[in-house]
Amino acid sequence: MTEDAGDSDTYALKAADLPEIAAPDVAYRPPMPQHLRPRIGVIGTGGISGSHLDAYRKAGWQVAALWNRTRTKAEQKAAEYCPQARIEDTWQAVLDNSDIDVVDITLHPEHRTEIIDAALKAGKHVLSQKPFVTDLDTGMDLVKLAQDKGVKLAVNQNARWAPYFAFMREAARAGHIGQVLSVHLNVHWNHGWTAGTPFDEIEDLILYDFGVHWFDFVNSVLGNRVEAIFATALRGAGQANKVPLLAQALVRADGAQASLVFDGGIPHGPRDTTFVGGTAGSIQSDGPDLGQQQVTMTTPDGIARPQLEGDWFNDGFMGTMGELLCAIEDDREPANGAAENLRSLAMAFAAVRSRITGKEVAVGAARRLES
């Protein structure tokens, strides 16, 4: 090592002494339509639907009809969140109701495709629960059907409107940190609660059903720059789940990289950290869980610490429906549109195939969820 190669401060990677500055004003809050007052039908009133219904109630949107395979569950949700909603005996009755403008379909993927198809053919705008589909070609067919019918089709990627994710994404898109070079997400928390539940039957629970939120964040920041993924997954020592709870993925992009680390079997000391680095600055978010996050943005001008309002649950759900309603009102494609979401799914599918084959997989090469 030559003496002029650098000083000790450089090698120690000491942080620069920067002043505190005001955070930029970015639109991170859930979008709200200006005039549209839709009547919403919800098909499927399982556990997660409570977050949907609570968000809609908070936003002041009318839920006019509910259906669930077990009628009493629909009745319970109506009593808690939307007492004026009609309880239908069949999901087809929701679609046949001319008063319904938008349908929120919360069922699992294996039951969802048929209903999305029927809803689009009935001329309804649709918000699909995530993951959208298990086959990219099926998803493309549904996207084309929505276009042909002149209706909007969006996906409930609710993490997009978690306050910290939304701020980081919008700040990066606005150019506050220059061109993005890296996106790194580390999630360390106990997902062992899924043992003995239907989730424990999903082989790639972490890379697919859970991880699609984080792949979607990478997609929302890097877009079509993403090229290929290498991923692994394994069962952690002592875990009760049948499926792997430890997984990681390396993402190769055009002039950028990303990584996703999921420690789903960590019983104590949860941590959730996100870092987005660019040519003119960086943004990081850190906290003990998904609901408690502190965001810091560093640029040559100084360090900004935005004080964000809201929570992932349930502002994220208000964001997905709100963006769909704004898109209907403005007659444009929603930011969480199904066409764009297929790229997020393609990333998850590539990660699963990589886990199976032990090889890097180009995004788009895996057309469906494999096992």
Side-chain angles (χ1 to χ4, degrees):
M1 182 183 300
T2 61
E3 292 185 1
D4 62 353
D7 56 30
S8 60
D9 284 352
T10 300
Y11 287 119
L13 299 176
K14 290 187 176 180
D17 186 14
L18 295 171
E20 296 281 333
I21 60 173
D25 184 15
V26 300
Y28 72 91
R29 295 292 291 148
M32 299 286 288
Q34 295 297 308
H35 308 291
L36 183 64
R37 295 295 178 265
R39 287 152 299 185
I40 300 171
V42 177
I43 295 179
T45 60
I48 197 63
S49 68
S51 295
H52 297 230
L53 294 169
D54 182 62
Y56 303 162
R57 177 177 61 182
K58 182 179 178 182
W61 300 325
Q62 179 188 359
V63 175
L66 298 172
W67 173 85
N68 194 72
R69 182 176 57 183
T70 304
R71 183 183 176 92
T72 55
K73 290 185 177 181
E75 291 172 341
Q76 290 167 358
K77 286 294 194 300
E80 184 173 1
Y81 298 106
C82 46
Q84 302 306 313
R86 177 184 176 91
I87 309 300
E88 300 288 6
D89 292 324
T90 66
W91 59 261
Q92 291 91 343
V94 177
L95 305 185
D96 290 341
N97 187 342
S98 60
D99 290 338
I100 300 298
D101 306 298
V102 180
V103 180
D104 179 3
I105 304 173
T106 74
L107 304 175
H108 293 295
E110 60 269 27
H111 306 299
R112 192 185 307 138
T113 302
E114 173 191 8
I115 301 176
I116 294 175
D117 181 88
L120 297 174
K121 289 176 178 175
K124 309 297 186 185
H125 303 287
V126 173
L127 179 66
S128 166
Q129 177 66 322
K130 67 84 196 168
F132 173 39
V133 289
T134 57
D135 182 289
L136 296 182
D137 295 323
T138 297
M140 291 177 65
D141 288 343
L142 291 173
V143 168
K144 184 178 185 304
L145 177 60
Q147 293 170 344
D148 290 344
K149 293 296 182 179
V151 292
K152 310 300 181 185
L153 173 58
V155 180
N156 185 37
Q157 291 288 172
N158 45 78
R160 286 204 175 194
W161 283 276
Y164 65 105
F165 272 153
F167 181 91
M168 298 176 84
R169 178 189 67 247
E170 296 305 319
R173 286 181 172 179
H176 290 294
I177 59 171
Q179 185 175 16
V180 174
L181 301 175
S182 63
V183 182
H184 301 293
L185 304 106
N186 297 272
V187 184
H188 317 283
W189 67 295
N190 186 10
H191 218 58
W193 64 269
T194 56
T197 74
F199 288 107
D200 207 13
E201 303 300 323
I202 304 174
E203 178 64 25
D204 286 285
L205 173 67
I206 302 301
L207 283 175
Y208 167 62
D209 189 84
F210 177 56
V212 72
H213 279 305
W214 281 261
F215 284 119
D216 186 66
F217 179 74
V218 173
N219 176 33
S220 73
V221 175
L222 291 178
N224 58 15
R225 295 171 64 190
V226 174
E227 296 175 345
I229 296 177
F230 178 79
T232 62
L234 55 88
R235 298 183 75 254
Q239 71 166 62
N241 290 66
K242 294 189 297 183
V243 301
L245 291 184
L246 305 181
Q248 54 191 337
L250 297 176
V251 180
R252 177 167 56 84
D254 180 14
Q257 64 179 7
S259 65
L260 302 85
V261 175
F262 305 107
D263 290 334
I266 305 301
H268 306 291
R271 205 80 200 165
D272 177 46
T273 304
T274 304
F275 178 89
V276 180
T279 57
S282 64
I283 317 172
Q284 65 177 351
S285 183
D286 180 71
D289 56 44
L290 306 179
Q292 303 178 72
Q293 290 286 308
Q294 177 61 57
V295 176
T296 303
M297 188 174 78
T298 304
T299 68
D301 296 328
I303 299 174
R305 307 180 196 278
Q307 300 303 304
L308 305 181
E309 299 177 352
D311 296 286
W312 181 337
F313 283 72
N314 295 321
D315 287 327
F317 298 85
M318 190 188 301
T320 54
M321 178 60 80
E323 173 59 18
L324 172 58
L325 299 182
C326 288
I328 295 169
E329 187 173 67
D330 300 337
D331 193 21
R332 59 170 175 80
E333 184 67 11
N336 56 331
E340 194 258 6
N341 184 250
L342 289 176
R343 191 165 57 224
S344 302
L345 274 176
M347 293 172 65
F349 293 169
V352 171
R353 177 178 288 185
S354 177
R355 187 271 301 170
I356 294 170
T357 64
K359 299 178 180 179
E360 182 183 80
V361 176
V363 173
R367 304 299 299 172
R368 58 182 176 83
L369 180 65
E370 301 174 8
S371 60

